[in-house]
Amino acid sequence: AAGTLVGAVIPASDPDVLSVPFSTLTYSIVGGDGASLFVIGSASGQIAVAAGVVLDFETKNIYTVTVRVSDGGSPSSTADANITINILNANDPPSLFGPWTRTIAENAASPAAAGVPVNASDPDKGSQLSFAITGGNGTGVFQINKCSGQIELAASSALNFQTTRVYSLVVTVTDDGVPAMSDTKTYFVFVVDANDPPVVADQTRTVNENSGTGTLVGSPIVWSDPDSFGGNTAWFTQSFSIVTGDRGIFAISSTTGQISITNGGSTLLN
């Protein structure tokens, strides 16, 4: 960080130790690849990190600055020294990246993957990252692979597009540094609607004997479909048919579910 002191002060001496102002020393940085990154106290000889500078061990971990010491003589006498500055590594935090949305089919079964794995990186080479879901309304519904960052449908979880169409997952990635560093972001998993089967129960209808052809038999068949509020019209447009029983006597409307007599009379309905 800016202003951080770099080691001890630069030692310097002058034979004119008892002569003022000859023995008054002034320090300056006059060269080196670190000349723009570091400053030096003109009176103290203390090197420090310059304002606005952020050092990165992974980018460059050693610099040289040429320090000049000038005395107070007229003309001034000077001496130069090359100072090597070694950057010590520190644990940098990992980072999570987008895309921030994933999709998964409504009829998916555990451990189905929700999109691609979560993308993360760490400036520290060789760092081991671990992933965890730490919040959101998708906690318990989804899990994340600790090593790969793959979001998956948790065991025993069932999705229902008609009930919940999007889940939020707060994901935290943590490195193995000391102390450990982490990053947290929110991801969203959108449920993609799937065709659910219609629901119909056994039912009873009555009709008078000797009823003629075309007579309606009670009310239409009662049914339901979870896709009633879905986006695919074909999924909640039902078609009815009689598949077993006295099909020669009764018929059913394919669109309304209304049963009627197709071959009636006193002989058949007696």
Side-chain angles (χ1 to χ4, degrees):
T4 300
L5 302 183
V6 180
V9 299
I10 302 301
S13 61
D14 193 304
D16 299 313
V17 65
L18 299 178
S19 177
V20 180
F22 294 164
S23 62
T24 301
L25 302 181
T26 302
Y27 297 83
S28 61
I29 294 176
V30 296
D33 59 359
S36 63
L37 305 178
F38 300 94
V39 294
I40 191 169
S42 60
S44 67
Q46 176 65 64
I47 297 175
V49 179
V53 171
V54 177
L55 301 173
D56 185 6
F57 176 88
E58 283 70 32
T59 302
K60 186 174 176 63
N61 57 28
I62 186 169
Y63 293 92
T64 300
V65 293
T66 302
V67 173
R68 176 168 294 168
V69 183
S70 305
D71 66 15
S74 181
S76 175
S77 295
T78 63
D80 293 348
N82 291 321
I83 308 301
T84 300
I85 300 175
N86 294 300
I87 309 302
L88 301 178
N89 195 15
N91 188 23
D92 298 302
S95 297
L96 288 165
F97 302 97
W100 309 111
T101 60
R102 303 290 189 276
T103 59
I104 189 170
E106 176 187 20
N107 56 2
S110 176
V116 298
V118 170
N119 185 20
S121 67
D122 193 312
D124 298 311
K125 296 178 181 179
S127 179
Q128 297 295 315
L129 301 179
S130 60
F131 299 84
I133 294 174
T134 55
N137 70 335
T139 304
V141 179
F142 294 93
Q143 62 192 15
I144 191 168
N145 186 290
K146 180 179 180 180
C147 298
S148 70
Q150 178 65 65
I151 297 173
E152 304 168 341
L153 188 63
S156 303
S157 292
L159 302 173
N160 188 331
F161 177 85
Q162 284 69 33
T163 302
T164 306
R165 300 187 181 189
V166 60
Y167 292 90
S168 64
L169 298 174
V170 179
V171 175
T172 298
V173 61
T174 305
D175 66 19
D176 58 349
V178 180
M181 304 289 284
S182 64
D183 186 26
T184 299
K185 293 290 189 299
T186 300
Y187 294 81
F188 297 92
V189 179
F190 289 84
V191 179
V192 179
D193 197 11
N195 189 14
D196 298 298
V199 179
V200 63
D202 292 342
Q203 300 169 42
T204 300
R205 299 291 185 274
T206 60
V207 66
N208 293 327
E209 69 173 334
N210 302 324
S211 295
T213 299
T215 302
L216 302 182
V217 181
S219 58
I221 296 298
V222 176
W223 61 276
S224 65
D225 193 313
D227 293 314
S228 295
F229 300 102
N232 192 324
T233 303
W235 291 352
F236 55 87
T237 301
Q238 305 302 322
S239 178
F240 300 86
S241 61
I242 296 175
V243 295
T244 187
D246 296 313
R247 289 181 290 178
I249 300 176
F250 299 99
I252 190 170
S253 169
S254 62
T255 57
T256 67
Q258 176 64 62
I259 298 175
S260 62
I261 297 173
T262 189
N263 191 4
S266 59
T267 302
L268 297 175
L269 294 176
N270 191 327

